Amino acid sequence: MISILSKSFTSTIYDVFFVIIIVFLSVSILMWVALPIVLLSIRNELKRLNQTIKDYIYKRDIGT
């Protein structure tokens, strides 16, 4: 009886570790896929902000 319980408990611990490893790998893969997308989005938004600032400065200088 005790050996059956300990074997089941050990198996459960291995199952938990397996699930943790699978979740960690999945998150890592998703991060490497999502990171370039996020960085490109930030880059595009910064370009738009830079152009908006340039337009504002140009219009302000023309107005004076």
Side-chain angles (χ1 to χ4, degrees), residues 52-64:
T52 302
I53 292 170
K54 284 181 183 178
D55 291 345
Y56 173 77
I57 291 172
Y58 178 74
K59 289 177 184 175
R60 188 190 64 181
D61 289 343
I62 293 290
T64 57

Side-chain angles (χ1 to χ4, degrees), residues 2-29:
I2 293 175
S3 64
I4 293 173
L5 286 176
S6 64
K7 184 176 180 182
S8 174
F9 181 71
T10 305
S11 176
T12 303
I13 290 175
Y14 288 141
D15 290 343
V16 168
F17 282 137
F18 180 73
V19 168
I20 290 172
I21 289 170
I22 293 297
V23 167
F24 178 76
L25 288 175
S26 300
V27 168
S28 298
I29 290 170

